[in-house]
């Protein structure tokens, strides 16, 4: 069987593996092989809602989202004029609304976001009413507004990362399943392919999303990722919504965004209870429960959309860690980097994830002081030192 060598081998050609390959190539590291058992973006990346916002209470995540936003805005420069011509980013703006108990937290969070360079401000209900004239804004007490937010296309973005990396010399092998790591002593030295081949490398990056826990378990590495099935409902608004922004409603715990083609994408942000699933065997069809929830929540928040109806729906899976934040970390084996556990919010930060992985591979540390690698270390779970927001929202704890 064939044996190949590379400086870096990346397992998983989803958004995060492709972003890592792109970022490594931007740092001049092009002796890189990406191994993807399906095709680039064929995992959970294809299911993403693609929402782009920097509204995070955790400062390092807000900074990562700001980095992501800059790359999406300057895609032609980041990926080259042809590849970056349209990666699907739509800059509609992003509005987040909270009720009375969360006003103080919202204001403190906005100030912390501004401190790491996020362009965000508070706006009043009159301004939001102009943006979303169909909404009942009565229950809200304060709103945050990001003019530069919006939504993107995670699948297209993954293709752009991969194409730009390939153009720089990175080898991307699709249809190539990895059977496991090659380990010598305490060091990962490469991977074994399902066809019996081997790729030897100085560094192995594992970016296998919801499949990460079983992939690393044979080496005594227990990555505390649970797989949660998340449903999305498409609503036909029955009218032309025009250029509405993404709306994150932290009173009734939902988010909506316009969809190319005129529909409205609904997501339930009440994640208090996980719906544990098998990522290789889960239903893609929305349950009656989520359809009822969508009807109730959309109906309550947007009472003036009197002709709205359910168009369709689908499901994907989140790779959820105990603190709902990713692992982007060297170790626990030498030569190993884990980039997984994105917990349903890995799209907007993907360019920064790629950069941090590249920094960890090349320098062993983050090059951006706003994004300390310590925040995302694997060891935080064992240490009981979770990455949580200093500004938690009452009743919306999962809004990180
Ligand atoms: C329904 C849904 C809505 C979302 N909405 C948003 C949002 O609005 N905003 C946001 O920021 N994020 C969102 N996300 C999250 C974001 O899309 C994900 O975090 C991101 O796409 C995950 O990328 P990934 O590369 O980690 O995983 P994946 O895309 O799943 O890629 C992992 C890849 O590894 C491959 N693989 C696994 N095992 C092996 C092996 N042994 N050998 C070779 N290849 C292997 C798989 O085939 C797969 O392609 C959403 C996710 C879902 C599911």
């Amino acid at each position: 069987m064939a044996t190949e060598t590379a400086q870096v081998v990346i397992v998983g050609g989803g958004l995060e593996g492709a972003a890592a390959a792109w970022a490594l190539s931007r740092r001049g590291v092009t002796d890189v092989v990406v191994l993807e058992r399906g095709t680039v973006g064929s995992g959970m990346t294809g299911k993403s809602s693609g929402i782009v916002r920097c509204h995070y209470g955790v400062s390092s995540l807000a900074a990562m989202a700001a980095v992501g936003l800059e790359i999406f805005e300057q895609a032609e420069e980041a990926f080259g004029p042809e590849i970056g011509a349209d990666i699907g980013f739509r800059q509609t703006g992003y509005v987040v609304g909270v009720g009375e108990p969360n006003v103080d937290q919202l204001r403190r969070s906005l100030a912390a976001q501004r401190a790491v360079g996020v362009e965000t401000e508070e706006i009043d209900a009159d301004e939001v009413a102009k943006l979303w004239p169909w909404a009942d804004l009565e229950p809200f007490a304060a709103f945050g507004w990001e003019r530069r937010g919006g939504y993107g296309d995670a699948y297209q973005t993954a293709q752009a990362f991969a194409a730009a990396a390939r153009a720089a010399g990175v080898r991307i092998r699709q249809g190539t399943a990895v059977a496991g790591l090659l380990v010598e002593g305490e060091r990962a030295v490469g991977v074994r392919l399902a066809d019996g081949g081997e790729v030897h490398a100085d560094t192995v990056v594992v970016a296998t999303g919801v499949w990460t826990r079983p992939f690393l378990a044979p080496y005594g590495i227990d990555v505390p990722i649970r797989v949660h099935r998340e449903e999305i409902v498409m609503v036909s608004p029955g009218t032309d919504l025009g250029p509405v922004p993404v709306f994150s409603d932290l009173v009734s715990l939902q988010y909506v965004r316009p969809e190319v083609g005129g529909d409205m994408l609904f997501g339930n942000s009440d994640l208090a209870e996980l719906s544990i699933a098998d990522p290789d065997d889960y239903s893609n069809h929305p349950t009656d429960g989520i359809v009822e929830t969508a009807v109730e929540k959309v109906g309550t928040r947007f009472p003036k959309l009197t002709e709205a109806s359910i168009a369709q729906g689908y499901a994907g899976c989140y790779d959820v860690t105990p603190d709902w934040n990713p692992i982007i970390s060297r170790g626990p084996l030498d030569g190993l980097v884990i980039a997984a556990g994105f917990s349903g919010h890995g799209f907007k930060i993907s360019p920064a994830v790629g950069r941090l992985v590249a920094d960890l591979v090349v320098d062993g540390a983050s090059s951006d002081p706003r994004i300390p690698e310590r925040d995302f270390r694997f060891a935080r779970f064992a240490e009981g030192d979770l990455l949580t927001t200093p500004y938690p929202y009452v009743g919306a704890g999962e809004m990180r």
Side-chain angles (χ1 to χ4, degrees), residues 11-17 35-39 42-45 47-51 154 176-178 207-211 215 230 232 255 316-319 339 342 344-348:
V11 187
L15 192 55
E16 314 301 346
L35 302 170
E36 165 55 51
R37 67 180 167 198
T39 52
S42 62
M44 295 309 161
T45 290
K47 298 295 184 77
S48 187
S49 303
I51 287 177
T176 306
V178 177
T208 43
V210 290
W211 296 279
F215 184 78
E230 177 69 9
I232 300 294
Y255 66 85
C317 293
Y318 289 176
D319 45 349
F342 289 91
H345 57 115
F347 169 64
K348 63 184 81 58

Side-chain angles (χ1 to χ4, degrees), residues 76 79-86:
E76 290 195 27
F79 303 120
E82 263 176 53
I83 298 167
D86 183 9

Side-chain angles (χ1 to χ4, degrees), residues 214-290:
F215 184 78
L216 288 173
Y219 314 98
I221 304 170
D222 184 24
V223 187
I225 288 177
R226 288 178 296 165
V227 179
H228 159 76
R229 180 174 171 276
E230 177 69 9
E231 300 176 287
I232 300 294
V233 178
M234 305 303 297
V235 177
S236 170
T239 185
D240 180 4
L241 291 177
V244 290
V246 176
F247 190 169
S248 180
D249 166 356
L250 296 187
V251 170
S252 60
L253 299 182
Q254 63 179 313
Y255 66 85
V256 294
R257 70 155 174 82
E259 175 71 337
V260 177
D263 280 351
M264 186 171 149
L265 182 151
F266 162 88
N268 186 18
S269 22
D270 183 355
L271 294 164
E273 276 181 33
L274 291 189
S275 172
I276 299 298
D278 175 351
D280 295 312
D281 184 21
Y282 67 95
S283 168
N284 191 39
H285 295 289
T287 53
D288 291 347
I290 190 71

Side-chain angles (χ1 to χ4, degrees), residues 96-147:
V96 52
V98 299
E100 192 56 49
N102 285 318
V103 173
D104 191 43
Q105 300 295 63
L106 176 96
R107 289 185 179 142
R108 291 168 65 200
S109 182
L110 293 181
Q113 291 162 40
R114 283 191 286 268
V116 291
V118 173
E119 196 182 317
T120 185
E121 61 184 309
E122 193 176 339
I123 59 173
D124 63 23
D126 290 344
E127 288 170 278
V128 179
K130 284 184 213 145
L131 298 166
W132 263 104
W134 300 272
D136 172 15
L137 301 176
E138 190 58 37
F140 295 98
F143 299 92
W145 168 241
E146 290 175 34
R147 176 185 64 83

Side-chain angles (χ1 to χ4, degrees), residues 24-117:
L24 280 162
S25 72
R26 298 269 290 192
R27 293 207 56 178
V29 181
T30 55
D31 184 14
V32 176
V33 182
V34 179
L35 302 170
E36 165 55 51
R37 67 180 167 198
T39 52
V40 168
S42 62
M44 295 309 161
T45 290
K47 298 295 184 77
S48 187
S49 303
I51 287 177
V52 175
R53 49 125 173 142
C54 300
H55 193 87
Y56 279 100
V58 176
S59 283
S60 49
L61 282 165
M64 285 183 120
V67 168
L69 173 59
E70 276 168 29
I71 297 295
F72 299 148
E73 282 177 334
Q74 300 162 18
E76 290 195 27
E77 196 186 302
F79 303 120
E82 263 176 53
I83 298 167
D86 183 9
I87 59 161
F89 180 47
R90 301 289 176 262
Q91 202 154 33
T92 57
Y94 167 86
V95 63
V96 52
V98 299
E100 192 56 49
N102 285 318
V103 173
D104 191 43
Q105 300 295 63
L106 176 96
R107 289 185 179 142
R108 291 168 65 200
S109 182
L110 293 181
Q113 291 162 40
R114 283 191 286 268
V116 291

